[in-house]
Amino acid sequence: MSMRIRAAALSAITVLTLAAVTSLTGPAGAAPATDAVPKAKAAAPKFLAASQLPPHPSSAWTAGPVTDGFPIELAHCLGEDGIPAYDYRHRVFHTELDTGAVQATIVTGSAAKGKALAALINKRIRSCADRIERSDPEIEAEGRYYGSLPVEEGAQVHGLHTNASWGATDIHLLSVGRDGRTVTLVSWGQMGDFGDAPVAAFKKTTTKAVNKLY
């Protein structure tokens, strides 16, 4: 279940992912959410560059374009309901091997709404391992909390390891940070376990992501 997740692992979380995307973006033709980004022009939050991700030992990072909408790469951990349908933008990153990453930004209507959204997303990430195991008994999942970062209004860092009965094992690092009314999520993933996770480098990436928003 890394960002460039293998097909076998992806199929195991398809139900969670599709439901999450529906709840995040809203059904087709639905009226805009009341918490959507205000129409007044404002500076758009900036995204990480490929060079600001945790260094890969043998492959360079490539950054995709900044795209409207919620990235499916993050949906497997945000659950099937309860996430407001704000306007999302995202950028996907990849290496030539199995490592991938994604950043999403969400601009809410106020600092209070941004704080509430960040708290809700952190809660969903903390419950991610349990929900994955409930959705597929052939996958074992474990989450870890790596603490908070003193950047702008703060950031929280999490880890997630999944081990499938057919042999697939993947490690993710996820973070949620906030600058005023804007929330950013960053996720990194590859094959492996907690020992393969570049936690210190990912914390630096998260700090850069939040500082770079504005």
Side-chain angles (χ1 to χ4, degrees):
M1 299 196 316
S2 57
M3 296 304 99
R4 298 176 68 191
I5 192 165
R6 294 185 300 280
L10 178 61
S11 65
I13 60 169
T14 296
V15 174
L16 274 176
T17 298
L18 293 178
V21 171
T22 300
S23 67
L24 287 162
T25 60
T34 57
D35 285 334
V37 178
K39 296 299 182 182
K41 291 291 184 180
K46 296 178 180 179
F47 283 77
L48 290 165
S51 61
Q52 295 174 311
L53 293 170
H56 191 279
S58 61
S59 179
W61 285 98
T62 298
V66 174
T67 304
D68 291 338
F70 191 87
I72 195 171
E73 291 88 349
L74 290 176
H76 67 280
C77 249
L78 293 187
E80 62 273 23
D81 54 28
I83 303 295
Y86 290 107
D87 289 337
Y88 294 80
R89 299 170 74 228
H90 69 275
R91 168 176 271 179
V92 176
F93 306 83
H94 64 86
T95 68
E96 294 179 357
L97 301 177
D98 70 305
T99 307
V102 62
Q103 180 187 8
T105 62
I106 312 100
V107 183
T108 69
S110 67
K113 290 179 179 179
K115 181 179 180 180
L117 178 62
L120 177 60
I121 293 173
N122 276 306
K123 181 179 179 181
R124 301 301 286 178
I125 292 174
R126 288 194 299 269
S127 66
C128 181
D130 288 342
R131 286 184 284 109
I132 288 174
E133 288 188 341
R134 287 198 300 269
S135 72
D136 192 328
E138 294 193 29
I139 295 180
E140 294 180 355
E142 178 186 354
R144 291 186 182 179
Y145 177 61
Y146 288 112
S148 60
L149 301 175
V151 53
E152 297 297 342
E153 277 69 60
Q156 307 288 322
V157 180
H158 310 265
L160 173 70
H161 175 243
T162 56
N163 187 18
S165 62
W166 56 86
T169 179
D170 294 284
I171 179 66
H172 296 280
L173 295 174
L174 305 100
S175 62
V176 184
R178 183 173 68 91
D179 183 354
R181 65 176 185 163
T182 300
V183 176
T184 188
L185 292 84
V186 183
S187 181
W188 168 99
Q190 68 173 31
M191 292 185 292
D193 56 28
F194 286 112
D196 301 305
V199 177
F202 184 75
K203 287 184 175 181
K204 291 180 181 179
T205 292
T206 297
T207 298
K208 290 175 183 177
V210 178
N211 276 328
K212 194 175 183 179
L213 289 171
Y214 297 107

